[in-house]
Amino acid sequence: MDEKKYEKAIAGYERALAMREDARMLTDLGVCYRETGKPANALGAFERALKIDSNVWEAAYNRAVLLADEGRFEEARAIARELRSKYPGKSEVRSLDEALSRQP
């Protein structure tokens, strides 16, 4: 994924996840899906990750980004507000919350 070879990364993550569910791998899989224009798959991966471990803030963060990309600003804002209250020191979360607060 770090090399932006998303299709190859998707295949690798799916093989690994077939052996063991892991919230962080699912989050990375979701990012790969988003980067390859598969938002429904990405959303599913982020939601699966959060069911496994609701403390993987990156899954919630990426879910909010994806929802905002789809114009679902109310849902994205709610996630960003919750993240900001749970992780006030994370600059990425603060930036997302502020950016979403400016959307209609």
Side-chain angles (χ1 to χ4, degrees), residues 17-18 26 32-34 40 42-43 46 58-59 77 80-81 87 104:
L17 287 163
L26 280 163
C32 290
Y33 279 136
R34 188 181 70 223
L43 190 58
F46 298 141
E58 297 91 344
R77 274 192 287 272
R81 282 191 301 267
Y87 307 99

Side-chain angles (χ1 to χ4, degrees), residues 16-87:
L17 287 163
M19 292 183 265
R20 181 178 63 91
E21 289 273 302
D22 179 87
R24 296 205 182 275
M25 271 196 283
L26 280 163
T27 300
D28 288 347
L29 175 64
V31 170
C32 290
Y33 279 136
R34 188 181 70 223
E35 291 296 324
T36 57
K38 298 173 184 146
N41 292 22
L43 190 58
F46 298 141
E47 289 172 352
R48 279 175 53 202
L50 290 165
K51 284 182 184 176
I52 293 169
D53 186 350
S54 62
N55 293 314
V56 177
W57 69 270
E58 297 91 344
Y61 174 93
N62 281 291
R63 183 171 179 252
V65 169
L66 179 65
L67 292 171
D69 287 347
E70 294 182 340
R72 297 164 62 180
F73 295 113
E74 283 302 313
E75 293 170 82
R77 274 192 287 272
I79 294 167
R81 282 191 301 267
E82 182 179 334
L83 282 171
R84 192 163 184 183
S85 70
K86 285 176 77 173
Y87 307 99

